[in-house]
Amino acid sequence: MKRSFVIGMVVLLPFIGGGLLGYNIGHSSHETNVVPTRYEGAPFEEAQTASFTPQSRDSVSDAVTYSRRNAITRTVATASPAIVGINVTELRQYRQWSPWGDDPFFRQFFGNRTYTQRVQSLGSGFIISPDGYILTNDHVAGNAKEITVTLTNAEKYSAKLIGTDHISDVALLKIDAKDLPYIKLGNSDDVITGEWVIALGNPFGLFDISDKPTVTVGVVSATGMNLRSQDGRVYRGMIQTDAAINSGNSGGPLVNGLGEVIGVNAVIYTPNQGSIGLGFAIPINRVKSVVAELKKSGKIDREWYTGLEVQSVDVRVARYFGLDKAEGVIVSDVKRGSPGDRAGFRAGDIIIEASGEKVTDEATLSSIFDDMRVGDVLKVKVYRDRKTVELRLKLEKGST
């Protein structure tokens, strides 16, 4: 009997404990303050009670406004009035198709079958002084017969081509106006890879629709990019950006977060005339020196000569001189009394560096030299007698 009682208590104790625990929990929950759920009243009561006073609504609006206005939007507001759209009319000559090609024998019978056609194109530019000087690219306005500049206030001006430089791809225009908004030119030597930049311009002629520039934002992807020469133009030390630069953006500014121009948009790499994030701008420090000379004389004097004859180093030459790689340019001849002769060059010298840049072949050396002017002095390193020798070459006016 006693044993049966013990077994019964063991069985009943869990049920009794569970009941007491559930009772205490249930009563304690009713004794505390409960936050009503949405299911305890009308389904939209909570939304109705979450209202703002006029003061609190204004503070929220201000917070959104100031969070949206940042260095980029301030720069756009400052720079935009100085951006211009450029419409250009050129006279281009075309040769009519002939079944005999350009054979001079047949040309004497049929004449020089060419015709001239007026071609219109467009681009971008920006005002750099209150008296109407405008910067753009040579490939935008360098060969123009007529140039029309449109400002952001919809005013149109006939522009004069003050000067242009095909090599650096820089052109300087002037309109007859005063007290114009203009952009400050910055320092491209101070550009930081990864910093935010803004490209402004007239892609696809959209400026003519709204009289406002198109704005794209990106970062500086790289600096000091040396591109291959294109149509005789030399693009060295370029600023690469992923800010979208499309057809028509050429000549527009690349601006930093301080509202300063750090480059002039000039080149894109694209398979379809649209941006794929590979745009390049001419460093503004390079442009400054070109503009100063264009303003003074209307052109850049590049009619210099060196008196050197060179050719690329091939495998055979590299092996003969004991070079590890077939890189550099060998001097095959030095004209007596020439700038090269006075600088100390000798036949057999291998040029390995010029103006601080590595020389890998003749094309590299040509692009470095093509960017120079009469009077410039280049530091050139040559490999001679298994030693490196540094020479100073002054470019003097004359013919090659």
Side-chain angles (χ1 to χ4, degrees):
M1 181 71 180
K2 186 175 181 180
R3 185 177 180 182
S4 299
F5 176 76
V6 172
I7 294 173
M9 290 299 294
V10 170
V11 173
L12 291 173
L13 280 175
F15 291 98
I16 295 172
L20 292 173
L21 180 63
Y23 178 82
N24 289 332
I25 292 175
H27 280 70
S28 65
S29 64
H30 287 290
E31 292 170 0
T32 58
N33 293 327
V34 181
V35 178
T37 65
R38 68 189 310 161
Y39 301 104
E40 292 177 341
F44 300 105
E45 284 182 358
E46 288 179 296
Q48 294 172 352
T49 57
S51 60
F52 296 100
T53 63
Q55 293 80 7
S56 62
R57 184 179 296 276
D58 289 343
S59 66
V60 171
S61 177
D62 289 344
V64 172
T65 300
Y66 287 115
S67 66
R68 291 168 57 202
R69 297 187 186 278
N70 49 37
I72 293 174
T73 57
R74 287 193 296 270
T75 295
V76 170
T78 302
S80 290
I83 310 303
V84 301
I86 298 177
N87 288 276
V88 170
T89 300
E90 297 181 20
L91 296 179
R92 296 182 184 177
Q93 282 196 337
Y94 297 92
R95 184 179 298 277
Q96 290 181 337
W97 179 84
S98 170
W100 301 284
D102 194 28
D103 193 317
F105 175 78
F106 290 100
R107 196 189 309 156
Q108 63 181 328
F109 298 104
F110 297 98
N112 191 10
R113 301 169 64 87
T114 61
Y115 63 95
T116 301
Q117 183 174 343
R118 294 171 65 90
V119 178
Q120 293 185 331
S121 59
L122 54 85
S124 307
F126 55 99
I127 305 170
I128 60 173
S129 66
D131 56 346
Y133 281 98
I134 297 171
L135 262 180
T136 187
N137 288 135
D138 169 77
H139 76 260
V140 171
N143 295 319
K145 295 300 180 183
E146 298 176 8
I147 306 172
T148 301
V149 170
T150 306
L151 308 187
T152 53
N153 59 6
E155 292 183 355
K156 296 182 183 295
Y157 291 87
S158 178
K160 178 182 179 182
L161 181 63
I162 299 298
T164 189
D165 181 44
H166 183 84
I167 296 292
S168 63
D169 198 12
V170 174
L172 181 66
L173 311 179
K174 178 75 167 62
I175 60 176
D176 187 12
K178 296 181 179 179
D179 300 324
L180 295 173
Y182 65 97
I183 312 181
K184 179 182 178 183
L185 304 184
N187 179 12
S188 55
D189 292 338
D190 193 36
V191 172
I192 304 171
T193 301
E195 72 171 296
W196 289 102
V197 288
I198 306 152
L200 301 99
N202 177 29
F204 304 108
L206 296 177
F207 197 100
D208 294 336
I209 299 175
S210 62
D211 297 323
K212 295 180 181 178
T214 295
V215 177
T216 57
V217 178
V219 299
V220 174
S221 304
T223 58
M225 302 296 290
N226 296 326
L227 311 182
R228 289 287 185 181
S229 297
Q230 300 180 23
D231 298 325
R233 298 184 174 92
V234 177
Y235 297 111
R236 305 192 66 77
M238 301 288 281
I239 300 172
Q240 181 183 339
T241 180
D242 64 349
I245 299 176
N246 294 288
S247 178
N249 267 119
S250 291
L254 187 68
V255 182
N256 63 15
L258 300 176
E260 302 169 335
V261 180
I262 60 172
V264 179
N265 302 323
V267 181
I268 60 172
Y269 280 168
T270 174
N272 54 17
Q273 299 300 312
S275 174
I276 59 172
L278 279 174
F280 298 88
I282 306 168
I284 199 63
N285 285 6
R286 181 186 178 195
V287 175
K288 287 178 185 177
S289 61
V290 173
V291 167
E293 195 164 340
L294 291 178
K295 203 171 183 180
K296 180 180 178 181
S297 59
K299 64 176 184 177
I300 306 297
D301 190 356
R302 302 187 190 276
E303 296 180 358
W304 47 260
Y305 84 114
T306 63
L308 302 178
E309 292 186 11
V310 299
Q311 63 183 53
S312 297
V313 171
D314 57 21
V315 176
R316 179 180 56 83
V317 173
R319 187 184 304 115
Y320 178 82
F321 285 95
L323 300 177
D324 295 331
K325 297 180 180 179
E327 291 183 345
V329 172
I330 186 169
V331 177
S332 57
D333 187 38
V334 181
K335 292 182 179 180
R336 182 175 299 178
S338 67
D341 186 26
R342 286 190 288 273
F345 282 89
R346 302 177 188 172
D349 285 346
I350 297 177
I351 300 174
I352 56 176
E353 184 179 299
S355 192
E357 297 182 29
K358 182 180 179 181
V359 175
T360 56
D361 53 25
E362 191 174 353
T364 306
L365 184 65
S366 294
S367 64
I368 296 173
F369 273 69
D370 287 345
D371 198 27
M372 300 298 147
R373 314 174 199 179
V374 172
D376 285 348
V377 178
L378 280 77
K379 292 182 179 180
V380 182
K381 289 184 179 180
V382 300
Y383 183 75
R384 177 191 296 170
D385 298 331
R386 300 187 181 274
K387 293 184 297 184
T388 299
V389 179
E390 184 172 299
L391 304 174
R392 294 174 63 87
L393 174 63
K394 183 177 181 180
L395 302 180
E396 300 178 12
K397 192 171 182 63
S399 58
T400 54

